[in-house]
Amino acid sequence: MSPEEAVTGADGSGAPVTVADRAACAALDAADPLSDQRALFHLPDGVIYLDGNSLGPVPHAVPERLAAVVRDEWGDGLIRSWNAAGWIEYPARVGAQLAPLIGAAPDEVLAADSTSVNLFKLLVGGLRLRPERRVILSEASNFPSDLYMAQGITHLLGDGYELRTVDAEELTDALNDDVAVLMLTHVNYQTGRMHDMAALTAAAHDAGAITLWDLAHSVGAVPLDLAGCNADLAVGCGYKYLNGGPGAPAFVYVRRAHQQDIEQPLTGWLGHAEPFAFGSEYRPAPGMARFQCGTPPVLAFAALEAALTLWEDVDLRALRAKSVALCELFIARVEADCAGHGLRLVSPREPALRGSQVCFAHPEGFPIMQALIARGVIGDFRQPDILRFGFAPLYLRYTDISDAVDVLRDILDTRAWDQPEFKARAAVT
Ligand SMILES: *Cc1c(COP(=O)(O)O)cnc(C)c1O
């Protein structure tokens, strides 16, 4: 059975869909071209990790590399390591390492700061590229930090600047000649819905706007082609599908054609053309270097760089094929095995419209997720009622999906979620 046949039935005759049972899933695992990758991660016993879209697990390469950097480069090298160990090159070097994952050239990407801070840099930079326009256009259901950063910028700049949000279906119509920047998250954090980057970028360009794509839920999960889409600007996250560790450096992409004109508003010394001249007037560095602000967090960079070495051997088409197969299997198994329990699919049913996550709404979503986590099936809950499951193809097995759905069904059948301990909310959900 192929991954597609596992959930769709082989003959396309409209006969009842065959859903892979555990034995069929084991056969899919045995034939999985990515199966070697799992051994490269530390995955705790008894856990099925369906939250790699929020915080990726630690690759074995990371603790080894971190220990060496602390002992040799920091410990023995001391301040000499900025040059001798190439610490000062980390933002450009890790940016170049990321470039093939997003369809960019090595000198179009820089790793730095957090996604939110990078959104600030690129939103202001993008607005300045269209000085006669005043509107940032986005989607109402975009990730809150993206909207908050835009709100802060319009407040800071005053002068008629405005964030306008519409529903996804209305974006194209809303692209008029007020719009300076179209800011979108490629894969929606809540529903997994994936935008057509090429089409929306083309529509934005027809309207004279700059595009800013947030790839937080895309990079490392779906193949990306920023160059092929003519995308102008992008940001992305290092700690989700890239497994760079909690608070890992994020990244910035600026299409080469914009690099000399774009202004970076956080004019720290490391974005200066000559930081070690210690002059008193700011002068931006050429190219992507101006997107640095302050000193790079070397230990965090060491972890991210080690985690990114895993991608050198990954065929992104195989990654996407497995991602789709895992998501399809999960949807089919949940709908077959948990029928009648009130779960409603909120992710698009069509794989082409979906990233690598699947979300179901349920009025008791919060305690159900807590009960799942208590049983070792880790996903997360998003307001108001969404059970969110991320499928990272590097380390998940088809049998994990089968086992996870068995646990979900048991929790629903037995109402195991209906306990006070599962209803208390911690600071981080
Ligand atoms: C995860 C995520 C962020 C996170 O931003 P941080 O600054 O790293 O906290 C931003 N935007 C989107 C769409 C995300 O999914």
Side-chain angles (χ1 to χ4, degrees), residues 42-372:
H42 173 75
L43 293 162
D45 288 339
V47 166
I48 298 175
Y49 196 55
L50 306 180
D51 215 358
N53 54 322
S54 215
L55 175 66
V58 61
H60 293 305
V62 168
E64 288 163 25
R65 180 74 190 127
L66 270 179
V69 170
V70 170
R71 186 186 58 232
D72 304 335
E73 297 182 7
W74 181 14
D76 293 337
L78 292 166
I79 200 164
R80 295 170 291 191
S81 289
W82 282 106
N83 293 312
W87 285 354
I88 199 69
E89 310 292 339
Y90 258 132
R93 191 164 75 231
V94 172
Q97 213 184 355
L98 276 157
L101 293 175
I102 59 175
D107 64 352
E108 292 177 313
V109 192
L110 182 105
D113 301 309
S114 65
T115 304
S116 303
V117 170
N118 289 334
L119 281 165
F120 184 89
K121 297 173 191 169
L122 290 188
L123 270 174
V124 174
L127 290 173
R128 297 287 194 228
L129 289 174
R130 291 290 178 271
E132 67 292 352
R133 298 177 176 216
R134 288 289 177 276
V135 171
I136 300 168
L137 178 65
S138 193
E139 188 183 352
S141 68
N142 199 348
F143 187 74
S145 199
D146 300 47
L147 300 178
Y148 300 162
M149 295 311 290
Q151 288 161 14
I153 287 166
T154 59
H155 184 68
L156 181 72
L157 297 180
D159 197 23
Y161 279 98
E162 174 194 337
L163 168 66
R164 198 173 286 165
T165 57
V166 299
D167 290 341
E169 297 68 31
E170 295 157 6
L171 283 165
T172 312
D173 287 345
L175 279 164
N176 57 30
D177 56 15
D178 298 340
V179 178
V181 178
L182 173 65
M183 172 186 72
L184 292 175
T185 298
H186 179 230
V187 173
N188 186 282
Y189 80 104
Q190 226 176 8
T191 62
R193 179 190 163 131
M194 182 161 66
H195 284 299
D196 183 338
M197 185 186 287
L200 280 162
T201 300
H205 288 170
D206 285 347
I210 294 282
T211 52
L212 168 49
W213 290 99
D214 186 333
L215 308 176
H217 285 283
S218 317
V219 63
V222 295
L224 293 162
D225 185 9
L226 291 176
C229 294
N230 292 317
D232 301 291
L233 313 173
V235 297
C237 182
Y239 55 77
K240 292 173 179 162
Y241 293 103
L242 298 182
N243 314 304
F251 64 88
V252 190
Y253 161 88
V254 179
R255 189 173 189 75
R256 198 176 290 126
H258 294 307
Q259 285 182 12
Q260 290 317 310
D261 301 331
I262 193 164
E263 273 179 54
Q264 204 278 81
L266 297 178
T267 48
W269 71 307
L270 284 187
H272 192 280
E274 288 182 286
F276 290 90
F278 294 104
S280 51
E281 291 296 321
Y282 181 78
R283 226 168 6 98
M288 292 305 291
R290 74 183 55 170
F291 286 91
Q292 298 182 75
C293 184
T295 305
V298 167
L299 300 182
F301 265 107
L304 177 59
E305 184 179 49
L308 288 174
T309 59
L310 270 58
W311 294 93
E312 290 162 12
D313 300 326
V314 175
D315 172 355
L316 293 178
R317 278 165 312 174
L319 181 91
R320 174 65 176 164
K322 184 175 173 189
S323 155
V324 168
L326 292 171
C327 292
E328 291 284 276
L329 173 65
F330 184 74
I331 293 171
R333 281 287 302 267
V334 169
E335 292 189 336
D337 296 1
C338 307
H341 283 299
L343 289 167
R344 178 175 55 84
L345 181 69
V346 290
S347 299
R349 199 169 280 282
E350 169 62 44
L353 300 180
R354 210 169 53 218
S356 203
Q357 72 187 55
V358 173
C359 302
F360 283 95
H362 191 286
E364 299 293 347
F366 185 82
I368 292 170
M369 182 54 74
Q370 302 319 302
L372 277 168

